Amino acid sequence: MRLRTERLSFQAVAVGCLTAIYSLLFSKKTDLLSFDAQLSAALSDYQIRTFGKSLSLRSDFLFGAGGMQGGYQFWLDPVSLVGSIGGAIYNQFAVAVISATAIFVLTTLLLRSFGQPEPVSRGAAFLTAVATIWGYSIALVDGELFGHVPQYASVLMVALAILNCFSRFGKAPGRADAVFGIFFVILIVHFLVALTHIFVTALPLLIVLVVASLQSVFRLRRELLRKIALLVFTGLLLIAIRTPEFLLGFYLNTAASEFPLGVYNQPRLSPVYRFVFETFFPTPSASGNYFFQFLAFFVLAIYVLAGVARRSRRDSLWIASVLSCALLIGYRLWESTWNVESGPRINYFVWMLAPLYALGFVKGVLLVFGWLKRVEWINATAKVKIARLALLSVSAPIVFFSPITSLRFSLDEPVPISLDEIRTERKIVESVSMNGDSRFRGRVAYLMQQPNYPSAVVGRVPLLNDYSHNLTPTGFLFNSDLLLDENTNQARLRFVFGPRNLMIYEMLGVRFVVLPQDFHFDPGQEVLFVGNEIETGSQIFELPDPNLGNYSPTKILIRRSPRDASALLGSPGFDSRNEVIFEDEFPRTLVAASSGEIRTSSGDLRITAKSEGVSILLLPLEYSTCLKVDQLDGGKGFLELRRANGLLTALIFDREIDAIVKLRFGLFENPTCRLDDLREFRRLNG
């Protein structure tokens, strides 16, 4: 046992060293810091450095109207924590080395727990680490996914840890068995809390290997019952803390779910051979070729068919592989019925199944060499030479030539700008950045173009633009009715705001609007032309009176639906400084607040205001039942929160208020609030 542990430790160090060498040679030339990766890296740095520790999802007040941003708890995400090593915004080198090493160790331990021989476990684990983490290398699965969204490495690591605990539970003696069970439950909860946004992509891997683990102890009644009991206990616990409602609220209360945009490019069912091949290899190598995938498909087919032909080869992991095939084909058939994107794309599931792909590839190759050994007319010495020659002939193209690998294509890639070197326009940063000044001094809206989101996060510049899967249906309808450019085909996550209804932008707290250099814009005399962005040449205009938490309307107008509210907001003469739209009557007489200010605190808002009676502050914050108010210093001025003007939050108080308004949505805090929001949206919109 000790020798085996020492051997694994040595192998893990070797994998880490090889990954370090590979990353030093190629990572600056690959897409390891693509746009998506840069944005998540900048956000994780911001939240880890600035936010308090919370188990609930929250707002960071940097995007949109301050709704929930993202589906990650970065301070609990392994990749983000490793990325924060060394003081840089994101340490991509450390992330690659530690992720590859951890995936190698966890995959090795998992395969060993299923009784796989050490050479098979080691080879498959190394291939898993390379195929998932080494960008532009062996294209067994989508080699670019980790580069686009590094958090997928966290999902794979946590999933492998969960499976290791479950595989060993029921077999270990006494306390060790209890430890495996406790960690299984903790890791499941961690999965849901820290990686809510993408944990679902690991479900096929978890399902097939849990089934395989149960099958492996099917004849051992005591172990089987213990494993089943652990699953039942975990399921009941998740139901008790209202996990189903939490997940439904997270995934369904989105613009993409309620108003999917664009036609989905459905997979073709014919010819059948192409449909089957692209089910298992939906993504080409980075060079755009499928050569290596053809080879891998052939080897994996050998592994599967060998089990069909001989019962002795049908171990529990072979059964898991067959189940994976069935799940992928079934999912691909469902994809073929989509008119719009209705779920995760299949390549995400394929990436998570990398350990089974790698295992099948290694065992398929070993089967071929085993058949070679049984050829009697080749002597033993010749067999060794042939094996070495075959291994060399396969390895050389994999390492040096495309299209089996895409390394040489990485040389054509530009070196990405370091996050530490990203800059935002100086005038904008000085005027509205929340870095070093907690006062909310206004937002920036990029019109007829997309902003550089990572640079905005680094500069702590709040944007009205929102690059988020969590944009609500309410927010989307409001933007569609009043702000989005009417002549642009809108795409999910890349909504284009137009130069209309500038008073609505002001109501939402926008201080600067930024337009392309060649776009003719005549906003009128009150809007001030500030200058041009140095990097893009875009025109910057400053609006005269943005809502900084100081709008205090006293005249209430009633509109029962958000669409009716939008129609009134867009009508000539409506003044959101003095008028507010509610869905129901408010029985109290209102006076205008004499002062009002917003400060940000770890993504939450601290509101201070005074008045001579009952007043409203129209906050530039999207209303949600997930919002909570904590009054400071024993204050009693807070009365209630209401939806106002179809989207925003009206804070109603009496005479004086000093309070924190915060958005919280999590397994242990407000788990049903987003589902409640969705039900309310559907009720109001018929």
Side-chain angles (χ1 to χ4, degrees):
M1 180 67 179
R2 181 179 178 183
L3 179 62
R4 182 178 292 182
T5 302
E6 290 176 351
R7 189 181 299 137
L8 178 59
S9 300
F10 173 78
Q11 293 162 359
V13 171
V15 170
C17 291
L18 289 172
T19 304
I21 294 170
Y22 185 89
S23 297
L24 287 172
L25 290 175
F26 298 108
S27 68
K28 287 291 186 181
K29 286 285 189 176
T30 65
D31 61 351
L32 195 60
L33 279 179
S34 68
F35 171 83
D36 284 346
Q38 284 193 331
L39 178 57
S40 64
L43 278 173
S44 66
D45 172 75
Y46 168 54
Q47 293 188 13
I48 288 173
R49 291 174 187 265
T50 308
F51 278 25
K53 304 296 185 290
S54 170
L55 295 179
S56 300
L57 298 171
R58 56 200 297 180
S59 168
D60 54 27
F61 212 63
L62 281 179
F63 298 108
M68 189 181 76
Q69 178 62 36
Y72 303 104
Q73 290 285 6
F74 288 113
W75 72 278
L76 292 172
D77 164 40
V79 160
S80 298
L81 289 174
V82 171
S84 66
I85 292 174
I89 290 178
Y90 183 71
N91 190 334
Q92 69 187 76
F93 178 76
V95 169
V97 171
I98 293 176
S99 296
T101 304
I103 287 171
F104 170 78
V105 171
L106 290 167
T107 304
T108 300
L109 293 173
L110 179 62
L111 296 180
R112 283 182 183 175
S113 73
F114 279 95
Q116 296 298 310
E118 185 172 334
V120 172
S121 300
R122 183 170 62 242
F126 180 65
L127 186 55
T128 300
V130 169
T132 54
I133 304 301
W134 293 20
Y136 282 78
S137 67
I138 299 171
L140 187 64
V141 294
D142 183 357
E144 299 178 61
L145 182 58
F146 169 71
H148 286 293
V149 188
Q151 279 69 31
Y152 276 105
S154 293
V155 176
L156 182 56
M157 286 187 283
V158 175
L160 290 170
I162 289 170
L163 291 167
N164 268 288
C165 290
F166 187 75
S167 177
R168 285 169 169 75
F169 180 76
K171 301 177 182 179
R175 293 181 179 177
D177 202 45
V179 169
F180 284 127
I182 291 170
F183 270 95
F184 174 81
V185 176
I186 291 174
L187 287 169
I188 291 286
V189 174
H190 170 271
F191 221 173
L192 296 167
V193 168
L195 298 161
T196 315
H197 185 63
I198 55 176
F199 90 95
V200 68
T201 58
L203 288 181
L205 178 68
L206 291 171
I207 291 169
V208 299
L209 287 180
V210 164
V211 171
S213 182
L214 294 174
Q215 189 275 335
S216 68
V217 296
F218 189 74
R219 298 181 185 279
L220 303 174
R221 182 183 178 89
R222 178 178 173 276
E223 293 181 14
L224 178 63
L225 291 177
R226 287 175 67 84
K227 287 181 182 291
I228 292 175
L230 178 61
L231 290 176
V232 171
F233 171 79
T234 305
L236 292 175
L237 174 65
L238 295 179
I239 292 171
I241 60 177
R242 311 193 76 169
T243 304
E245 293 98 321
F246 168 71
L247 294 177
L248 286 173
F250 180 85
Y251 286 111
L252 296 184
N253 188 30
T254 63
S257 175
E258 288 291 295
F259 304 105
L261 297 176
V263 178
Y264 184 70
N265 187 19
Q266 299 171 335
R268 297 180 179 178
L269 297 178
S270 62
V272 174
Y273 68 85
R274 178 173 179 175
F275 173 82
V276 173
F277 173 77
E278 291 183 351
T279 295
F280 299 103
F281 294 95
T283 310
S285 65
S287 62
N289 291 278
Y290 285 94
F291 186 90
F292 179 75
Q293 286 94 328
F294 290 143
L295 173 64
F297 185 82
F298 176 72
V299 173
L300 291 173
I302 290 174
Y303 167 62
V304 173
L305 293 175
V308 174
R310 182 175 295 182
R311 186 183 183 89
S312 60
R313 294 197 177 104
R314 300 176 203 166
D315 60 14
S316 55
L317 289 180
W318 181 88
I319 292 173
S321 299
V322 172
L323 283 174
S324 298
C325 293
L327 283 175
L328 290 177
I329 290 174
Y331 194 84
R332 189 73 165 174
L333 287 170
W334 181 47
E335 268 190 323
S336 70
T337 67
W338 294 357
N339 293 317
V340 294
E341 192 166 354
S342 304
R345 298 188 181 187
I346 198 170
N347 63 301
Y348 298 124
F349 297 128
V350 168
W351 196 88
M352 286 297 161
L353 289 167
L356 290 179
Y357 272 68
L359 175 70
F361 188 86
V362 169
K363 296 191 83 168
V365 170
L366 290 176
L367 279 170
V368 172
F369 281 118
W371 293 334
L372 179 63
K373 287 181 180 180
R374 289 197 291 273
V375 179
E376 296 180 357
W377 53 270
I378 304 178
N379 61 46
T381 303
K383 287 177 181 177
V384 173
K385 291 181 178 179
I386 291 172
R388 288 176 177 172
L389 180 62
L391 184 61
L392 181 63
S393 65
V394 171
S395 300
I398 286 177
V399 174
F400 295 109
F401 299 105
S402 184
I404 293 179
T405 176
S406 303
L407 281 183
R408 72 182 180 87
F409 286 85
S410 72
L411 301 177
D412 299 326
E413 294 291 329
V415 177
I417 298 174
S418 169
L419 283 169
D420 297 288
E421 299 172 0
I422 287 178
R423 295 291 180 269
T424 305
E425 174 60 35
R426 181 178 176 183
K427 170 65 177 177
I428 290 177
V429 171
E430 290 176 349
S431 300
V432 301
S433 173
M434 297 186 292
N435 192 13
D437 189 339
S438 64
R439 288 178 301 153
F440 174 63
R441 296 181 290 165
R443 291 187 168 104
V444 179
Y446 281 77
L447 312 184
M448 306 306 297
Q449 61 182 326
Q450 295 295 316
N452 186 325
Y453 289 97
S455 69
V457 176
V458 172
R460 308 294 190 260
V461 172
L463 299 174
L464 183 66
N465 310 77
D466 192 356
Y467 187 83
S468 171
H469 292 274
N470 301 117
L471 177 67
T472 64
T474 302
F476 173 75
L477 271 188
F478 183 91
N479 291 342
S480 298
D481 290 341
L482 297 167
L483 301 177
L484 297 187
D485 182 60
E486 297 168 309
N487 299 315
T488 299
N489 289 326
Q490 303 293 337
R492 183 172 63 96
L493 298 184
R494 295 186 179 276
F495 299 112
V496 178
F497 288 108
R500 60 185 183 123
N501 293 327
L502 292 184
M503 290 186 66
I504 303 298
Y505 285 106
E506 284 189 308
M507 182 188 74
L508 295 170
V510 172
R511 181 173 175 182
F512 294 104
V513 293
V514 184
L515 291 103
Q517 185 178 28
D518 57 355
F519 188 87
H520 176 68
F521 179 56
D522 184 12
Q525 294 181 350
E526 293 184 349
V527 177
L528 178 65
F529 174 70
V530 175
N532 296 320
E533 281 190 325
I534 295 174
E535 183 178 339
T536 65
S538 296
Q539 308 171 78
I540 305 173
F541 295 87
E542 184 171 2
L543 303 182
D545 189 20
N547 178 12
L548 307 181
N550 55 340
Y551 279 24
S552 183
T554 57
K555 182 179 180 181
I556 296 176
L557 304 174
I558 305 300
R559 294 293 184 273
R560 301 298 180 185
S561 76
R563 301 306 289 264
D564 291 340
S566 293
L568 182 55
L569 284 170
S571 64
F574 181 85
D575 184 1
S576 57
R577 298 164 184 80
N578 300 311
E579 299 171 304
V580 66
I581 304 170
F582 283 170
E583 295 151 16
D584 303 301
E585 299 287 346
F586 183 72
R588 307 281 291 272
T589 301
L590 296 172
V591 297
S594 57
S595 66
E597 184 182 68
I598 299 176
R599 290 183 178 270
T600 58
S601 174
S602 300
D604 301 329
L605 302 183
R606 181 172 181 176
I607 313 297
T608 55
K610 293 182 179 181
S611 80
E612 297 299 321
V614 175
S615 298
I616 291 174
L617 283 187
L618 182 65
L619 303 181
L621 171 70
E622 181 174 350
Y623 177 80
S624 169
T625 58
C626 300
L627 293 173
K628 301 174 66 176
V629 177
D630 291 339
Q631 299 193 75
L632 303 178
D633 299 327
K636 298 180 181 179
F638 170 70
L639 296 178
E640 65 174 297
L641 296 179
R642 281 198 178 198
R643 180 184 289 105
N645 297 356
L647 176 72
L648 298 182
T649 301
L651 185 151
I652 306 174
F653 70 99
D654 187 4
R655 298 188 181 277
E656 185 173 0
I657 187 168
D658 184 1
I660 299 292
V661 178
K662 57 187 182 181
L663 186 149
R664 293 292 185 274
F665 169 61
L667 272 181
F668 305 107
E669 190 174 14
N670 291 343
T672 66
C673 63
R674 276 182 70 89
L675 192 57
D676 294 337
D677 286 347
L678 178 61
R679 290 169 178 153
E680 182 71 359
F681 169 80
R682 290 174 175 173
R683 182 187 69 81
L684 291 172
N685 288 277

